Amino acid sequence: SQQGEEDPQALSIQEGENATMNCSYKTSINNLQWYRQNSGRGLVHLILIRSNEREKHSGRLRVTLDTSKKSSSLLITASRAADTASYFCASRSGSARQLTFGSGTQLTVLP
Amino acid sequence: DTGVSQNPRHKITKRGQNVTFRCDPISEHNRLYWYRQTLGQGPEFLTYFQNEAQLEKSRLLSDRFSAERPKGSFSTLEIQRTEQGDSAMYLCASRGGEETTDTQYFGPGTRLTVL
């Protein structure tokens, strides 16, 4: 079963604009990760934020985590056409060994 | 390219046939995961290996599914008597043993179509 939901399900923006995706989860987590998936391909890890962190940056990516609201957001600044992909949040809870993924946001960046 | 490879990339089979997929993880990674992903959804966990030991299996893994990792290196996932509902992308991921990192490295997946 999916750990949580992502919002929006689909997002279309112009190149150069910022894209914000949100993720909500259900149970307490050890960390939360974001992955990108190009159409028909495997997932690529983007960034990991631990449960005791509130914000993290990596290049054009900014992730926030609010454990009180059980939510996270991924901001991609100055988007490019190459950012077009599906973005998934994933979390690991307690002693679970596997990641539990959200349902994903399909981002389309128009040139 | 994450360093995890999967073969075949695509498999088309008829209902009732058996299929086997292979995953070659990053060589120094002792942890290996299988996930299944259907269209428009996130990956769902199937099973987990640490070295050659299969330590966890999801309820999604019916008795028609079996996975092995005989020497703690590559892994195979076999589906017997395939059904149309088995059509999905099957993803393999690996991870090192360090507790300080939780990042999983995914292969390109095997897309299964059951006719």
mmCIF file of all heavy atoms in Angstrom, chain A residues 1-3 10 20 26 51 60 83 91 103 109-110:
data_model
loop_
_atom_site.group_PDB
_atom_site.id
_atom_site.type_symbol
_atom_site.label_atom_id
_atom_site.label_comp_id
_atom_site.label_asym_id
_atom_site.label_seq_id
_atom_site.Cartn_x
_atom_site.Cartn_y
_atom_site.Cartn_z
ATOM 1 N N SER A 1 0.853 -1.186 0.000
ATOM 2 C CA SER A 1 0.000 0.000 0.000
ATOM 3 C C SER A 1 0.887 1.234 0.000
ATOM 4 O O SER A 1 2.035 1.195 0.424
ATOM 5 C CB SER A 1 -0.902 0.018 1.212
ATOM 6 O OG SER A 1 -0.133 0.076 2.386
ATOM 7 N N GLN A 2 0.360 2.341 -0.516
ATOM 8 C CA GLN A 2 1.110 3.568 -0.577
ATOM 9 C C GLN A 2 1.157 4.180 0.811
ATOM 10 O O GLN A 2 0.188 4.165 1.555
ATOM 11 C CB GLN A 2 0.436 4.534 -1.555
ATOM 12 C CG GLN A 2 0.240 3.962 -2.954
ATOM 13 C CD GLN A 2 1.540 3.817 -3.719
ATOM 14 O OE1 GLN A 2 2.370 4.699 -3.706
ATOM 15 N NE2 GLN A 2 1.717 2.698 -4.380
ATOM 16 N N GLN A 3 2.307 4.759 1.131
ATOM 17 C CA GLN A 3 2.455 5.423 2.424
ATOM 18 C C GLN A 3 1.634 6.699 2.467
ATOM 19 O O GLN A 3 1.071 7.042 3.481
ATOM 20 C CB GLN A 3 3.941 5.735 2.658
ATOM 21 C CG GLN A 3 4.249 6.807 3.678
ATOM 22 C CD GLN A 3 4.012 6.386 5.106
ATOM 23 O OE1 GLN A 3 2.896 6.083 5.486
ATOM 24 N NE2 GLN A 3 5.054 6.379 5.900
ATOM 25 N N ALA A 10 -0.505 16.073 -11.154
ATOM 26 C CA ALA A 10 0.147 16.522 -12.375
ATOM 27 C C ALA A 10 0.365 18.022 -12.298
ATOM 28 O O ALA A 10 -0.458 18.753 -11.738
ATOM 29 C CB ALA A 10 -0.682 16.162 -13.596
ATOM 30 N N THR A 20 6.669 23.257 -7.332
ATOM 31 C CA THR A 20 6.553 22.779 -5.956
ATOM 32 C C THR A 20 5.642 21.562 -5.906
ATOM 33 O O THR A 20 4.526 21.590 -6.439
ATOM 34 C CB THR A 20 5.985 23.870 -5.030
ATOM 35 O OG1 THR A 20 6.858 24.992 -5.040
ATOM 36 C CG2 THR A 20 5.882 23.332 -3.599
ATOM 37 N N LYS A 26 1.784 8.887 6.425
ATOM 38 C CA LYS A 26 0.837 8.492 7.467
ATOM 39 C C LYS A 26 1.487 8.150 8.802
ATOM 40 O O LYS A 26 0.913 8.395 9.856
ATOM 41 C CB LYS A 26 0.016 7.291 6.982
ATOM 42 C CG LYS A 26 -0.807 7.590 5.746
ATOM 43 C CD LYS A 26 -1.495 6.339 5.210
ATOM 44 C CE LYS A 26 -2.248 6.643 3.935
ATOM 45 N NZ LYS A 26 -2.785 5.414 3.297
ATOM 46 N N SER A 51 14.544 12.823 9.772
ATOM 47 C CA SER A 51 13.380 13.258 10.545
ATOM 48 C C SER A 51 13.701 14.417 11.484
ATOM 49 O O SER A 51 12.798 15.146 11.894
ATOM 50 C CB SER A 51 12.802 12.086 11.341
ATOM 51 O OG SER A 51 13.773 11.561 12.218
ATOM 52 N N ARG A 60 19.506 22.933 -7.437
ATOM 53 C CA ARG A 60 18.238 23.647 -7.638
ATOM 54 C C ARG A 60 17.092 23.037 -6.832
ATOM 55 O O ARG A 60 15.939 23.458 -6.972
ATOM 56 C CB ARG A 60 17.886 23.629 -9.132
ATOM 57 C CG ARG A 60 18.841 24.413 -10.018
ATOM 58 C CD ARG A 60 18.369 24.481 -11.464
ATOM 59 N NE ARG A 60 18.360 23.159 -12.086
ATOM 60 C CZ ARG A 60 17.262 22.529 -12.470
ATOM 61 N NH1 ARG A 60 16.061 23.068 -12.307
ATOM 62 N NH2 ARG A 60 17.338 21.334 -13.037
ATOM 63 N N ASP A 83 13.766 18.603 -16.700
ATOM 64 C CA ASP A 83 13.194 18.231 -15.400
ATOM 65 C C ASP A 83 11.870 17.492 -15.567
ATOM 66 O O ASP A 83 11.321 16.991 -14.583
ATOM 67 C CB ASP A 83 12.962 19.478 -14.538
ATOM 68 C CG ASP A 83 14.251 20.174 -14.148
ATOM 69 O OD1 ASP A 83 15.278 19.474 -13.990
ATOM 70 O OD2 ASP A 83 14.232 21.409 -13.985
ATOM 71 N N SER A 91 9.494 6.993 2.018
ATOM 72 C CA SER A 91 9.899 7.068 3.412
ATOM 73 C C SER A 91 10.148 5.671 3.968
ATOM 74 O O SER A 91 9.669 4.670 3.433
ATOM 75 C CB SER A 91 8.821 7.772 4.242
ATOM 76 O OG SER A 91 7.593 7.087 4.150
ATOM 77 N N SER A 103 2.303 8.317 -4.455
ATOM 78 C CA SER A 103 1.736 8.016 -5.777
ATOM 79 C C SER A 103 2.338 8.870 -6.887
ATOM 80 O O SER A 103 2.083 8.622 -8.061
ATOM 81 C CB SER A 103 0.220 8.192 -5.749
ATOM 82 O OG SER A 103 -0.105 9.454 -5.200
ATOM 83 N N VAL A 109 7.602 20.314 -17.934
ATOM 84 C CA VAL A 109 8.177 21.645 -18.092
ATOM 85 C C VAL A 109 8.189 21.970 -19.570
ATOM 86 O O VAL A 109 8.862 21.298 -20.368
ATOM 87 C CB VAL A 109 9.607 21.722 -17.516
ATOM 88 C CG1 VAL A 109 10.162 23.126 -17.679
ATOM 89 C CG2 VAL A 109 9.604 21.304 -16.050
ATOM 90 N N LEU A 110 7.451 22.991 -19.937
ATOM 91 C CA LEU A 110 7.294 23.364 -21.340
ATOM 92 C C LEU A 110 8.393 24.329 -21.764
ATOM 93 O O LEU A 110 8.664 25.294 -21.046
ATOM 94 C CB LEU A 110 5.915 24.003 -21.541
ATOM 95 C CG LEU A 110 4.735 23.107 -21.134
ATOM 96 C CD1 LEU A 110 3.443 23.910 -21.119
ATOM 97 C CD2 LEU A 110 4.633 21.926 -22.074
#
